[in-house]
């Protein structure tokens, strides 16, 4: 489907880009090559609730990676899915007595307008699961042929047992997390408690699609792998994509299972890197639907909060550190954005060449946005006290391109 409108990325000339370093969840600090093709898949929303600040923080982190890779000369192919058929969506539609497709469609529009307001570059492909049933079925048949699929009543499961030596946590802990995040470890008849469902046979009143595995709908993990492999595997490379990203709550089981499912189906590794963004909390608790403490981007925008202030506030913390949202954080961000705007409006500002070099270096250093923003605040102060050069336009373009802050 169409993603949101293109976001202008100002061209920046004469800047040296250090190669991008990221902290991979399995490998630790990794260094990515500049200039090559870069295939990135970011797990998208389940469209039943608008974009909360936890979502926004995650998509901003991968937006910074996308921007940096493009600016430093890579040809980026960025794919994001929309899980527009899933238990929470069906439950919410039923609760609110509305059609699940209407609910999904409204929430996708809202998400797109939130991303657009926050100046997140749109993905090259923005793919709904409900538009991908044929390729998901094709992927499942690969698993089937490879002997990793088994039937239980009218459902089909992936047999993960052979791959569990890849797991980086004790089995008891894995089973506990698996159950918390949509898994069904206690279901009788499964070959292993951690086996994830791949095809859900039709349940009364639920939407479904005809397939060689009966009438039903796909399980979560296989949706992402099928979409990623279809849109990003252009060269038969191993691994199939460069980076899979999402929130840290997706690391297990979702990304672990995705990697094993692809290995089983294709005999190749799925992603070279797995990068996860941390969680945003409110008043000491993780922001989550179950706690009912979500702060929505759209609500802040309705209250006339400047989207660039929201972006600044989220970037003022490091993307891989769990952090807290507060009214005070927003107020501080508002003051800081005002200070930067006031500096950028001057005809003369402080020396900027080193600033620009340092900003690129900060982002290349595992997206160190707190350092970058602190540097900008210092520069704004110097611009008030010691303005010497006419370079505000250059600074403005640089922070727009690198940080997505159009100030
Ligand atoms: Zn996913």
């Amino acid at each position: 489907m169409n993603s949101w409108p293109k976001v202008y990325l100002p061209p920046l000339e004469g800047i040296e880009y250090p190669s991008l370093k990221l902290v991979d969840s399995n490998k630790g600090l990794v260094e990515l090559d500049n200039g090559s093709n870069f295939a990135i898949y970011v797990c998208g929303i389940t469209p039943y609730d608008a974009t909360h600040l936890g979502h926004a923080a995650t998509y901003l982190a991968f937006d910074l990676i996308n921007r940096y890779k493009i600016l430093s000369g890579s040809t980026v192919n960025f794919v994001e899915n929309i899980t527009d058929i899933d238990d929470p969506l069906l439950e919410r539609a039923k609760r609110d007595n509305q059609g699940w497709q209407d609910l999904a469609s409204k929430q996708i529009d809202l998400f797109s307008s939130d991303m657009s307001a926050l100046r997140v570059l749109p993905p090259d492909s923005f793919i709904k699961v409900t538009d991908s049933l044929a390729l998901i079925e094709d992927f499942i048949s690969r698993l089937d042929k490879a002997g990793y699929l088994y039937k239980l009543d009218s459902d089909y499961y992936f047999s993960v047992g052979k791959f569990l030596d890849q797991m980086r946590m004790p089995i008891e802990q894995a089973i506990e997390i698996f159950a918390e995040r949509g898994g069904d470890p206690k279901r009788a008849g499964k070959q292993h408690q951690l086996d994830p469902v791949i095809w859900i046979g039709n349940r009364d009143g639920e939407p479904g699609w005809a397939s060689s595995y009966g009438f039903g709908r796909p399980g979560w993990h296989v949706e992402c792998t099928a979409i990623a492999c279809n849109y990003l595997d252009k060269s038969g490379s191993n691994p199939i994509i460069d980076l899979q990203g999402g929130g840290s709550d997706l690391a297990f089981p979702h990304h672990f299972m995705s990697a094993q499912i692809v290995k089983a189906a294709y005999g190749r590794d799925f992603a070279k890197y797995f990068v996860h963004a941390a969680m945003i909390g409110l008043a000491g608790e993780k922001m989550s639907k179950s706690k009912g403490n979500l702060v929505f981007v759209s609500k802040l925008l309705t209250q006339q909060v400047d989207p660039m202030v929201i972006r600044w506030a989220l970037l003022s913390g490091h993307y891989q550190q769990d952090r807290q949202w507060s009214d005070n954080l927003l107020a501080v961000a508002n003051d800081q954005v005002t200070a930067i705007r006031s500096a950028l409006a001057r005809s003369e500002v402080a020396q900027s060449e080193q600033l620009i070099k340092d900003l690129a270096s900060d982002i290349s250093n595992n997206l160190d946005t707190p350092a970058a923003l602190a540097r900008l605040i210092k520069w704004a102060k110097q611009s008030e006290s010691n303005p010497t050069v006419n370079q505000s336009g250059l600074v403005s373009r640089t922070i727009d391109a690198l940080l997505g802050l159009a100030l």
Side-chain angles (χ1 to χ4, degrees):
M1 69 172 293
N2 291 332
S3 53
W4 52 97
K6 278 208 179 320
V7 173
Y8 179 63
L9 189 66
L12 293 178
E13 279 156 21
I15 296 183
E16 271 184 46
Y17 294 94
S19 52
L20 180 61
K21 291 176 283 300
L22 294 171
V23 172
D24 175 285
S25 300
N26 302 321
K27 297 174 176 170
L29 190 68
V30 294
E31 194 165 339
L32 285 64
D33 297 334
N34 277 354
S36 46
N37 290 332
F38 189 69
I40 172 169
Y41 182 88
V42 174
C43 290
I45 55 159
T46 299
Y48 69 97
D49 232 347
T51 327
H52 63 67
L53 290 168
H55 291 137
T58 295
Y59 295 114
L60 288 187
F62 294 100
D63 183 52
L64 293 180
I65 294 174
N66 192 10
R67 286 168 178 273
Y68 195 85
K69 291 303 288 177
I70 293 170
L71 291 167
S72 60
S74 290
T75 303
V76 179
N77 193 352
F78 191 114
V79 177
E80 186 173 321
N81 72 301
I82 308 161
T83 311
D84 62 335
I85 180 75
D86 202 5
D87 290 339
L89 170 66
L90 297 175
E91 284 158 17
R92 178 62 60 90
K94 196 171 173 187
R95 187 198 79 179
D96 296 348
N97 198 23
Q98 61 176 319
W100 64 274
Q101 285 147 312
D102 288 345
L103 173 62
S105 166
K106 277 185 205 137
Q107 295 298 329
I108 292 166
D109 287 349
L110 196 51
F111 174 74
S112 297
S113 65
D114 290 343
M115 291 296 103
S116 192
L118 292 173
R119 292 182 69 78
V120 173
L121 301 183
D124 300 294
S125 303
F126 190 41
I127 308 294
K128 294 203 296 195
V129 166
T130 55
D131 288 338
S132 312
L133 272 301
L135 63 95
I136 293 169
E137 185 180 350
D138 180 61
F139 188 100
I140 295 174
S141 71
R142 280 174 179 266
L143 273 182
D144 192 6
K145 280 187 200 120
Y148 289 97
L149 199 68
Y150 66 93
K151 193 174 185 200
L152 188 55
D153 302 326
S154 58
D155 303 327
Y156 286 83
Y157 281 83
F158 169 60
S159 178
V160 76
K162 197 178 150 188
F163 301 98
L164 288 178
D165 58 340
Q166 301 294 313
M167 208 164 62
R168 294 159 57 87
M169 68 175 85
I171 191 93
E172 298 75 22
Q173 189 189 352
I175 290 170
E176 202 179 315
I177 300 174
F178 182 70
E180 284 167 12
R181 296 180 180 161
D184 54 358
K186 294 215 159 70
R187 180 167 180 184
K190 285 174 68 172
Q191 288 177 5
H192 194 286
Q193 289 182 79
L194 287 174
D195 290 346
V197 70
I198 295 292
W199 187 259
I200 303 162
N202 193 234
R203 300 172 188 154
D204 272 352
E206 283 193 354
W209 290 262
S211 82
S212 357
Y213 301 93
F215 193 79
R217 59 186 169 93
W220 176 30
H221 313 305
V222 76
E223 296 166 352
C224 280
T225 53
I227 291 171
C229 291
N230 183 69
Y231 288 92
L232 291 169
D233 181 21
K234 302 295 184 202
S235 61
S237 62
N238 186 20
I240 291 173
I241 69 171
D242 292 294
L243 191 152
Q244 184 178 28
S248 57
D249 53 348
L250 298 190
F252 189 89
H254 185 49
H255 290 180
F256 172 80
M257 292 300 177
S258 304
Q260 311 322 317
I261 286 171
V262 170
K263 197 168 277 181
Y266 279 78
R268 287 191 273 154
D269 289 327
F270 180 35
K272 194 169 182 184
Y273 306 118
F274 292 90
V275 174
H276 297 107
M279 298 286 117
I280 302 290
L282 187 72
E285 291 200 310
K286 182 191 153 188
M287 208 177 276
S288 73
K289 55 186 177 286
S290 55
K291 295 205 171 75
N293 61 349
L294 304 176
V295 178
F296 294 107
V297 171
S298 53
K299 183 141 185 234
L300 293 174
L301 296 176
T302 312
Q303 294 164 350
Q304 309 297 319
V305 177
D306 180 339
M308 290 299 98
V309 171
I310 301 172
R311 186 161 176 130
W312 181 287
L314 288 169
L315 296 182
S316 67
H318 192 266
Y319 83 106
Q320 282 180 323
Q321 277 181 347
D322 288 339
R323 53 205 193 275
Q324 295 291 313
W325 180 263
S326 66
D327 290 343
N328 185 53
L329 180 75
L330 195 60
V332 169
N334 194 52
D335 290 347
Q336 292 172 335
V337 165
T338 303
I340 304 298
R341 281 194 173 127
S342 148
L344 290 172
R346 300 182 62 92
S347 54
E348 289 196 322
V349 292
Q351 273 295 340
S352 307
E353 274 116 8
Q354 190 61 41
L355 168 77
I356 288 164
K357 206 172 162 187
D358 290 342
L359 288 175
S361 169
D362 290 335
I363 299 305
S364 76
N365 183 21
N366 194 29
L367 314 181
D368 191 353
T369 53
L373 299 197
R375 213 180 283 290
L376 275 170
I377 293 163
K378 195 172 159 197
W379 169 86
K381 283 187 185 143
Q382 287 166 348
S383 294
E384 299 292 334
S385 61
N386 187 25
T388 53
V389 290
N390 179 8
Q391 289 179 328
S392 63
L394 180 62
V395 175
S396 176
R397 286 196 300 281
T398 303
I399 61 179
D400 187 357
L402 270 178
L403 293 160
L405 288 163
L407 301 181

